[in-house]
Amino acid sequence: MLEYTFSMIETLAVAIVLLIIGRWIKSKIFFFEKYFIPAPVIGGVIFSIFTLIGKNTGTFEFFFEGELKNLLMVTFFTTIGFLASFKLLKKGGIQVLIFLGVASGLVIIQNFVGIHLAKFFNLNPLLGIASGSIPLTGGHGTAGAFGPVLESAGATGAMSVAIASATFGLVAGCLIGGPVGKRLLLKYNLVGHKEEEFIVEGSSNKISHDKEIVTENSLFKSIVLIVISIGIGEIVNALAKKIGIILPTYIGPMLVAAVIRNIIDSKSGELPLHTINVIGNIALQLFLAMALMSLKLWELAALAVPLVVILLVQTLVMALYAYFITFRAMGKDYDAAVIATGHCGFGMGATPNAMANMESFTAANGPSPAAFFVLPLVGALFIDFVNASIITVFMNIFG
C-alpha cells in the first residue's frame, strides 16, 4: 500500500482545490443549493470517499498535517466570541432571551437523547454526544471542532459520526419545518400578518448589518484582536487544566474574545465586525475542507444502524420540541408558529435552513417580522457560544 503524508502547505493546497470543486458542484446541483449543503462538505466528502476506496482496496492511504487545521478552527470560534454582545442581547428584548433559553434546552435534550441511545447500543457515550447537539444545533463547524476532541477521549469514529449527523440534520431540518408549522397553523387557527415589510440579513453562522468595506487597516486590526484573543485564551485553557477542567482548545480564545467585545461595547468603541466575520468565514471553510478530506469513513460501517436510529429519534424529538415547547414558550401566536418552523431547521442544521423554513412558510401565510428578528439573532450570535459551553460540561461528565 502506498502511504503519503501531506505537509502543511500541501494540505492547505488540497483543501483549497476541494473547496473550489465543492463550490462548482454546488452551483450545478439544485439539491445542494436547496438544502444549504456547504461547499467544503461536498468537496471534502468526495475526497474522503476516494480515500475510502484506496483503504478498502489496499492501494493507498493519505495522512495530513493537522496544526494548520487546528489553528483555523480556533480562529473561527474566536470570531464567534466577538459576536457575543450582551448589549445586543439586551437590546433584542425578552423574546430573544426566551428563545435563547428554549434553544439551550434543546441542546441539553439532544445530548441526553444521543448519550442514552448510544448506551442502549453499547456504544461509547461520547458517540452519543457526537450525534447530539454537536452536529445538530452546532452544525458542521462544531462537528469538525469537537470530533477530534471526542476521538482523543476514546470515542473511535466520533469525527465521522459528527460530520455524517450534521449532513443528515441539514436535510431533515428542512423537511420537518413546514409540516410542524402547518399543523400549528391549522390547530390554533392562526392568521399571518398583512402588509408588514421586513429585511433580514444573515449567514450560516453569523449575522451582521455592518456594511464596512474590508481595508488594510480593518484587516490588521481584526487580525491583532484575533491573535491576542487566541494567545490569552491559551493561558485560560492552561489555567483551567491546572484546576482539573479540560476545555476544547477554542473555548479559552472564544471567552477572551467575548470579554474584549463587551469591554469595547461598554466604552462605545469601534470593532471591525464585518472584517472579523470575513476572516471567520474563510477560516471555517478551509477548516471544514481539511477536516472532511481526512475523514475515515470506514469507521462508520459498524455504526451505521445505531447512527440511523439515533438520528431518526433526534428528528422526532426536534419536531415534538418545536411543536410543544418552542411554540408555547414563544407565545402561542402566529409569530411563535413561524419561530417553531424555523427552529426545526436551526435545531437540526443551521441558520440558513431556519431562514429557508420561515421564508417558505411566511410566503404562503403572511410575514412575521418578529420571527425574522429573534431567530437569526439567537442562531447567529449566541447559540454557538452556549452550545460549546454545554457540550464541554457533558464531555467532562461522560468522558
Side-chain angles (χ1 to χ4, degrees), residues 3 15 33 45 63 67 81 109 132 146 168 183 192 215 249 252 334 363 386 391 396:
E3 294 185 354
E33 287 281 2
V45 169
F63 302 93
E67 284 302 312
I109 290 174
F146 275 98
F168 173 90
R183 174 63 180 166
T215 64
T249 54
Y334 177 72
V386 173
I391 291 167
N396 278 280

Side-chain angles (χ1 to χ4, degrees), residues 119-180:
K119 287 183 176 180
F120 176 79
F121 286 107
N122 294 317
L123 300 175
N124 189 320
L126 293 179
L127 289 176
I129 301 178
S131 54
S133 75
I134 286 178
L136 301 180
T137 294
H140 284 91
T142 307
F146 275 98
V149 178
L150 294 174
E151 290 191 344
S152 66
T156 303
M159 180 69 169
S160 298
V161 167
I163 295 298
S165 300
T167 304
F168 173 90
L170 287 174
V171 178
C174 285
L175 293 179
I176 65 174
V180 167

Side-chain angles (χ1 to χ4, degrees), residues 16 24 26 39 57 68 72 76 90 99 108 110 112 134 158 185 187 202 219 221 250 256 305 308 317 334 351 370 397:
I16 290 175
W24 180 80
K26 183 176 180 178
T57 59
L68 181 58
L72 290 167
F76 165 66
K90 183 179 178 181
F99 184 62
I108 295 172
Q110 285 176 333
F112 268 115
I134 286 178
L185 195 71
K187 181 177 181 179
L219 188 60
K221 185 175 181 180
Y250 69 78
V256 173
V305 173
V308 169
V317 168
Y334 177 72
T351 303
I397 293 175

Side-chain angles (χ1 to χ4, degrees), residues 10-353:
E10 290 171 333
T11 299
L12 177 61
V14 173
I16 290 175
V17 171
L18 293 176
L19 182 56
I20 294 172
I21 292 174
R23 288 187 173 189
W24 180 80
I25 293 175
K26 183 176 180 178
S27 70
K28 299 297 181 181
I29 300 178
F30 176 72
F31 174 85
F32 294 141
E33 287 281 2
K34 180 179 180 181
Y35 291 107
F36 305 98
I37 308 299
V41 172
I42 300 169
V45 169
I46 289 175
F47 189 83
S48 65
I49 292 174
F50 174 65
T51 59
L52 174 64
I53 294 172
K55 175 75 173 180
N56 287 344
T57 59
T59 308
F60 59 86
E61 186 172 3
F62 297 140
F63 302 93
F64 299 92
E65 196 282 330
E67 284 302 312
L68 181 58
K69 180 183 72 173
N70 294 334
L71 175 60
L72 290 167
M73 179 265 291
V74 172
T75 298
F76 165 66
F77 279 100
T78 302
T79 65
I80 289 291
F82 282 111
L83 296 173
S85 168
F86 294 113
K87 188 175 181 180
L88 268 181
L89 183 60
K90 183 179 178 181
K91 184 179 179 181
I94 188 65
Q95 288 292 92
V96 173
L97 288 170
I98 292 174
F99 184 62
L100 179 58
V102 170
S104 301
L106 177 65
V107 167
I108 295 172
I109 290 174
Q110 285 176 333
N111 288 323
F112 268 115
V113 169
I115 288 168
H116 285 87
L117 286 176
K119 287 183 176 180
F120 176 79
F121 286 107
N122 294 317
L123 300 175
N124 189 320
L126 293 179
L127 289 176
I129 301 178
S131 54
S133 75
I134 286 178
L136 301 180
T137 294
H140 284 91
T142 307
F146 275 98
V149 178
L150 294 174
E151 290 191 344
S152 66
T156 303
M159 180 69 169
S160 298
V161 167
I163 295 298
S165 300
T167 304
F168 173 90
L170 287 174
V171 178
C174 285
L175 293 179
I176 65 174
V180 167
K182 186 69 173 179
R183 174 63 180 166
L184 290 170
L185 195 71
L186 295 175
K187 181 177 181 179
Y188 294 95
N189 297 313
L190 303 174
V191 179
H193 304 294
K194 307 295 181 183
E195 299 180 1
E196 290 190 48
E197 297 181 356
F198 54 94
I199 299 175
V200 172
E201 177 179 295
S203 66
S204 61
N205 293 289
K206 311 171 189 178
I207 184 169
S208 174
H209 297 282
D210 186 0
K211 291 294 185 181
E212 128 189 40
I213 297 174
V214 177
T215 64
E216 181 180 349
N217 185 55
S218 68
L219 188 60
F220 177 75
K221 185 175 181 180
S222 299
I223 291 173
V224 168
L225 288 170
I226 291 170
V227 172
I228 288 175
S229 298
I230 293 174
I232 299 176
E234 286 290 307
I235 298 175
V236 172
N237 288 340
L239 292 175
K241 187 175 182 180
K242 282 190 174 182
I243 60 175
I245 301 175
I246 306 300
L247 299 176
T249 54
Y250 69 78
I251 290 293
M254 189 168 69
L255 289 172
V256 173
V259 171
I260 291 176
R261 166 64 193 269
N262 286 281
I263 290 175
I264 292 175
D265 281 351
S266 68
K267 303 295 184 181
S268 298
E270 293 184 1
L271 190 67
L273 278 180
H274 177 70
T275 307
I276 289 174
N277 201 15
V278 169
I279 293 172
N281 286 335
I282 293 174
L284 174 63
Q285 291 188 57
L286 290 173
F287 161 67
L288 280 178
M290 291 181 183
L292 271 69
M293 71 190 196
S294 57
L295 276 182
K296 299 176 181 178
L297 292 180
W298 51 88
E299 294 177 345
L300 277 178
L303 301 171
V305 173
L307 182 58
V308 169
V309 173
I310 292 173
L311 291 177
L312 289 177
V313 172
Q314 292 281 23
T315 303
L316 178 61
V317 168
M318 178 71 258
L320 294 174
Y321 191 89
Y323 187 87
F324 289 106
I325 305 298
T326 306
F327 176 67
R328 285 165 170 75
M330 299 312 297
K332 294 180 66 175
D333 55 13
Y334 177 72
D335 291 328
V338 177
I339 291 174
T341 301
H343 196 191
C344 290
F346 161 62
M348 289 292 291
T351 303
N353 297 70

Side-chain angles (χ1 to χ4, degrees), residues 382-394:
F382 300 107
I383 195 59
D384 280 337
F385 195 92
V386 173
N387 189 26
S389 302
I390 294 174
I391 291 167
T392 302
V393 172
F394 272 90

